[in-house]
Amino acid sequence: MPLLFKKNDSSKGEPARVAVDDRLRHIAFILDGNGRWAKKRGLPREYGHSEGAQTFKRIVRYCGDIGIKIVTVYAFSTENWSRPKNEVDRIVSLLDEYIAGAERELEENKIRYTFLGDKSVFAAPMAERMTRLEQISSGYELRLNIALNYGSRAEIVRACRELAESGEEINERTLSDHLYTAGCPDPDLIVRTANERRLSNFLLWQAAYSELYFTPTLWPDMQPADVDAAVRDFYARERRFGGVTPK
Ligand code: FPP
């Protein structure tokens, strides 16, 4: 089936935008290149993160506009704590501001938020804001998962430990049910920016059959047109999930 296009208002001269169907329900982004974006401009790395946070809002909105139901972003890994303190502080405060804003704008944006990762390491008011946002947004359909203080290996170990403690049968379904992403379909497409080609401990279990897309664009420069390019590339692929193409 060909890629779907949304007809825009041609009187405004807008190019046709991509639109998706159920084959692309879930897109995940590994945000990379904030530091390089700032360095290219002779600015401290923190500026790259501020710009990256603006880009994040723009791209999430665009994904919703073209019909993607679930967006996941890798915003802060368990390894990111090893960065200089001022950089970590800036990223965490950007995230905290974003979370507070998401609560204020919840009725307008109608997004269901889930945080992937261990919240307990954040200051109590921020951790409480995260939990509250998850609770009050749980009825909405469009989903935004934000991986924060997240590492996939730790997530899998945690799930195994919970299963061992509960005495539940261990199988793929029960393990999936104990991941931070429980109940959420696996990503169909994972996009990584800034020319790096690895998963960096992101959704290792959930990415078993995800399509991977790598772009040289630095995250703060990411535009709707770059999302369109990733979506077009996704639709040009054949997903067989280990099977064969039906004749
Ligand atoms: C990767 O770029 C980016 C991060 C580790 C942090 C991402 C954080 C934000 C975009 C800010 C907060 C976001 C939200 C969701 C409001 P890098 O610093 O590794 O870039 P580099 O590889 O060029 O150094």
Side-chain angles (χ1 to χ4, degrees):
M1 206 169 117
L3 172 63
L4 313 170
F5 287 94
K6 252 186 191 168
K7 283 204 179 62
N8 288 354
D9 185 349
S10 57
S11 63
K12 290 186 193 148
E14 291 175 17
R17 255 177 10 195
V18 298
V20 304
D21 58 15
D22 274 353
R23 286 171 294 174
L24 180 44
R25 283 185 299 179
H26 184 176
I27 189 167
F29 293 97
I30 302 178
L31 318 185
D32 205 353
N34 293 350
R36 275 165 279 175
W37 183 91
K39 195 172 171 210
K40 264 172 69 179
R41 289 161 177 77
L43 297 168
R45 295 176 55 83
E46 290 74 33
Y47 282 79
H49 297 311
S50 302
E51 194 66 24
Q54 294 307 318
T55 303
F56 165 80
K57 291 180 203 160
R58 188 170 69 235
I59 295 297
V60 168
R61 196 173 310 121
Y62 183 69
C63 288
D65 285 351
I66 61 173
I68 294 173
K69 304 271 190 320
I70 308 164
V71 178
T72 298
V73 290
Y74 199 9
F76 195 80
S77 73
T78 43
E79 290 74 32
N80 288 151
W81 294 106
S82 64
R83 294 183 177 215
K85 185 175 180 312
N86 58 338
E87 183 174 347
V88 169
D89 288 349
R90 182 70 190 132
I91 296 174
V92 172
S93 80
L94 281 166
L95 288 161
D96 199 19
E97 280 166 30
Y98 174 79
I99 293 161
E103 182 172 346
R104 282 194 303 274
E105 293 166 17
L106 186 61
E107 279 185 32
E108 189 187 330
N109 291 334
K110 301 188 178 7
I111 291 174
R112 174 177 176 186
Y113 294 87
T114 303
F115 294 96
L116 316 180
D118 179 6
K119 302 180 186 73
S120 68
V121 297
F122 296 105
M126 178 170 168
E128 283 158 18
R129 265 193 282 282
M130 292 160 83
T131 304
R132 192 169 58 239
L133 185 58
E134 287 181 327
Q135 287 166 350
I136 61 176
S137 69
S138 64
Y140 292 117
E141 196 193 341
L142 276 180
R143 297 188 70 157
L144 175 54
N145 302 319
I146 305 179
L148 269 190
N149 187 35
Y150 174 85
S152 187
R153 287 182 174 182
E155 177 188 36
I156 294 168
V157 169
R158 173 180 168 272
C160 294
R161 203 171 275 147
E162 286 181 5
L163 283 174
E165 281 167 9
S166 71
E168 257 177 280
E169 185 189 332
I170 300 180
N171 57 43
E172 292 188 13
R173 188 187 53 77
T174 56
L175 200 140
S176 294
D177 287 346
H178 283 264
L179 298 176
Y180 291 115
T181 49
C184 184
D186 290 338
D188 300 298
L189 174 63
I190 299 179
V191 174
R192 183 167 189 156
T193 57
N195 233 2
E196 307 296 348
R197 292 164 183 249
R198 55 180 174 271
L199 287 176
S200 300
N201 205 15
F202 182 53
L203 304 181
L204 300 181
W205 174 277
Q206 299 88 335
Y209 286 102
S210 303
E211 297 294 329
L212 307 180
Y213 180 85
F214 302 104
T215 170
T217 305
L218 303 177
W219 176 258
D221 288 330
M222 192 78 178
Q223 299 295 329
D226 298 301
V227 177
D228 290 355
V231 168
R232 287 196 176 94
D233 194 84
F234 173 86
Y235 276 94
R237 299 183 193 188
E238 190 189 348
R239 300 183 81 194
R240 292 191 298 275
F241 299 96
V244 291
T245 311
K247 289 231 167 82

